[in-house]
Amino acid sequence: MTDRVERAGLMVATSLAGFLEAHALPGTGLEAEPFWRGVSTIFARFAPENAALLSIRDTLQAKVDCWYVDHADMPIDMAGYRTFLRDIGYLVPEPEPFAIGSTDVDPEVATLAGPQLVVPILNARFLLNAANARWGSLYDALYGTDAIPGAAAGQGYDIDRGAQVIAWAKAFLDRAVPLAIGSWSDWAGGNPALADPSQLVGRAGENILLRHHGLHIELVIDRDHPIGRGDPAGLADVILESALTAIADLEDSIAAVDADDKVAAYANWLGLMRGDLSASFKKDGVVQTRRLEQDRRYAAPDGSVFTLPGRSLMFVRNVGHLMTTPAVLLSDGSQAPEGILDAIVTSLIGLHDLNGRRANSRAGSIYIVKPKMHGPDEAVFTNRLFDAVEDLLGLSRQTIKVGVMDEERRTSANLAACIHAVRDRIVFINTGFLDRTGDEMHTAMRAGPMIRKGDMKASGWIAAYEDRNVQIGLACGLSGRAQIGKGMWAAPDRMADMLAQKIGHPRTGANTAWVPSPTAATLHAIHYHEVDVFARQAERRGEAVASLDRLLTIPVATGRNWSAAEVREELDNNAQGILGYVVRWIDQGIGCSKVPDIRDIGLMEDRATLRISSQHIANWLLHGVATRGEVDAAFARMAAKVDAQNADDPLYRPLANGGIAMDAAKALVFDGLDQPNGYTEPLLHRYRTEAKVAAAG
């Protein structure tokens, strides 16, 4: 039973009220009593609207379901389909041409291009790693991964491998910051004569600071270092400016189901904004403490001193509109919308940065990513909610910036209108392939059996989705004012593949893309030296927007009759992914981690991957491609596999024995048709709460 205290007509979990009053409010200039009155007013005003928007989602889905049933076994007439979607309000009129008006946007977001990390906010150590990933060692990133073809990381230091790393890094320098004559491999030290002398922008002692495409490269000169001793110039390392921005995630990558979870998450965000977050851990038997990096000082060529940020600029991703939280009960006893609570608390905590050293946002903004909005009405709601939070906290209008995740079908189809709804505070749009596919499948659940999951990336609607995101973003004036982002590289151990493939993101004109680790950020930074993103955006500006009809094409498997072996293979793949993720979520409260896939390849998994896998099986069950018995058999086979993959985890509870995690996994599939928009959160929260109660009792 949660202990609660009354605050302005709200019943607030004692742990949350205590955290806000003892830690979050002090230092902001706000007093507790008027703060709580304002919070109560916001909930009274916006909670009914939030519920009404969710009801509209359900109404639209019911109408779309009926349309598919009425048009079963008929080729879809796209003109008629578009007319239907407009008639029911699913599609809205395009706004007149406009340009966003966001101001006070930091250069990391507006005028620079580089990697972006997403990190679960509940893990303080990971959070610090992400915040400190602004700068990374290229030598370490190359040496410790498979990034160089034919080389593999081993134990100790391998001279031949080290030589490969140094040669690779110097070849990179030849491309990004070439010398006027010769190669960096022949550089013997001193003041480097660059082909473009303006690229040399500073020094720190003997270290040399270079700049290319707005990103900095620091050459570490240390003749006492083992590597530096063997280099004619004493070059001991190449440090790249890497993760310009990072997202502290309250949403898909964490398991936060009650007040204590929320307080732990908010406390870590407070530590970031105050600059005092730390984490202690044991390594090789020695206790180490990690803290936030300080800014870096350099002397410019003219002798003046300047600093560069020592850490990534931090966004915080709030939850979407769907979920409620037991951390706050409204006057009628119902749970408060969790997204409204996040908006209030994360913005309140942001005041510690704005009123302090502005170590996060030098421009004086608070950056919130808002996921899973369905269409422009929900974007309008978010804009008005942020207005109200600004009024509560005494902030100027549009201090709170918003990042819009383009990951739901109704947002993709109305993207310009969604951007227009938040046009004076938007700083970010980003595609999310997995959630977008999950919503595609749930929206068109009754249109027919979906193509196999592995074929989705090659389908026409995905290409239109990715193209339209950039094209519409550029048409709305995001270049030079906001980020146009692309999705995650999910395989943290496959850096050679990432180097070969992820350059495609900046080539589209996206000025950021997600990476799973600081090491991946350093390697992905190379792509932003290879591609002049803002020149690419200029080339694409004015490009015709990809066809809406192509975006709305449904990925059903017309006329396909899979063999029994193909069906079994697809079920096993989906079931293994579901179980591998759910067992950690339910039993251990781990919302994101490297989970072995069916081929034992470690992939970063979060709720988006779970949504697509569970919805895919639910779709095949609905259309008779698979039977319940076949799905149960797949779960039984894959439980044994997942148990074997986790055999070395002392906290692991075997799935083969049944239990709450297995019940949750099956519910996600067998109750998948009834889940709002195919989301996994309602069931995950229910079963995780049950598991926590069982563990406590």
Side-chain angles (χ1 to χ4, degrees), residues 484-499:
I484 299 175
K486 292 297 178 185
M488 178 67 77
W489 179 263
D493 297 329
R494 296 195 159 194
M495 292 294 97
D497 289 344
M498 189 196 77
L499 279 173

Side-chain angles (χ1 to χ4, degrees), residues 445-469:
M445 182 65 73
R446 286 165 176 78
M450 294 290 144
I451 60 177
R452 295 184 68 174
K453 193 170 70 173
D455 296 332
M456 281 289 179
K457 280 193 174 181
S459 56
W461 74 267
I462 283 284
Y465 165 59
E466 295 287 356
D467 273 344
R468 285 171 59 89
N469 183 271

